[in-house]
Amino acid sequence: LLSKEQSYYKLARKPEAAAKETIVLFDGGPSQLGGPRIAQLALLVILDERAQRSRSALRWGCIQDPSQDLHDTLSKVSIGALLSATSLTPTSTNSLKKRLSQPEVLAASESWLIGSEELCNEALVSHTSCVSITEKVSPGPLTLHLTARASINARPKEVQLELPSGPTCVRI
């Protein structure tokens, strides 16, 4: 009798978790050249470390890259692609919207934009987290202002970073 009762029960199994993937898009417009590009590289390394710790995939690319490729490794070649995907024309909101609407970006469990403040405002409307990077030009050391927001309603987290002197920054 006892064995017949047990046949009615099924073992509860946890469903397999969906693979986590983060997509990061970089703005290569003129406001992101120079000091902001150094911050973009640092953020790429940080997000790569974060993805490795959480055993999730990280794919990234530049909005201005004509191939629209997303890289999945950090290498000399892939970082060179990021550095060379620049534009002297500011990135349009239409270019950003087009990139954010690509199936691989929409399918990601998390997406980030790293770029200008104007583009970050548009990204937040599209449910994309963002880090805006603004270069503050004033007498004294070169300073970057970074603002991170996880959603349109999230409280921003801000930091000011002082960059090394001009010749040192150029070598970086």
Side-chain angles (χ1 to χ4, degrees), residues 3-167:
S3 65
K4 289 181 183 176
E5 287 180 11
Q6 290 177 345
S7 67
Y8 291 109
Y9 294 105
K10 289 185 179 179
L11 290 175
R13 299 194 191 277
K14 282 187 176 181
E16 291 204 22
K20 292 193 320 187
E21 180 180 52
T22 300
I23 302 273
V24 183
L25 298 174
F26 292 93
D27 173 14
S31 70
Q32 297 301 295
L33 301 178
R37 209 52 157 183
I38 295 169
Q40 286 187 348
L41 288 171
L43 287 166
L44 177 58
V45 170
I46 290 167
L47 288 169
D48 184 61
E49 284 290 318
R50 178 179 170 247
Q52 288 180 25
R53 276 195 315 272
S54 66
R55 292 185 173 95
S56 62
L58 175 72
R59 297 177 64 211
W60 57 274
C62 191
I63 298 167
Q64 285 79 0
D65 182 358
S67 72
Q68 303 287 293
D69 288 340
L70 291 174
H71 303 275
D72 55 9
T73 59
L74 284 184
S75 67
K76 198 173 191 176
V77 172
S78 65
I79 289 173
L82 173 65
L83 294 176
S84 66
T86 60
S87 174
L88 297 178
T89 315
T91 307
S92 70
T93 55
N94 285 340
S95 296
L96 176 63
K97 285 179 184 178
K98 182 179 173 187
R99 195 72 195 259
L100 290 175
S101 66
Q102 291 178 322
E104 56 197 344
V105 177
L106 292 172
S109 53
E110 177 182 45
S111 59
W112 284 84
L113 169 76
I114 298 176
S116 69
E117 190 171 346
E118 297 78 23
L119 286 183
C120 274
N121 291 333
E122 184 62 41
L124 288 167
V125 170
S126 301
H127 307 289
T128 298
S129 302
C130 72
V131 177
S132 67
I133 306 170
T134 308
E135 190 170 19
K136 300 292 182 185
V137 181
S138 60
L142 185 62
T143 305
L144 295 178
H145 182 87
L146 281 73
T147 304
R149 294 182 67 182
S151 72
I152 200 160
N153 296 322
R155 188 174 181 165
K157 295 180 182 175
E158 300 178 344
V159 66
Q160 298 238 8
L161 301 173
E162 194 173 296
L163 292 177
S165 66

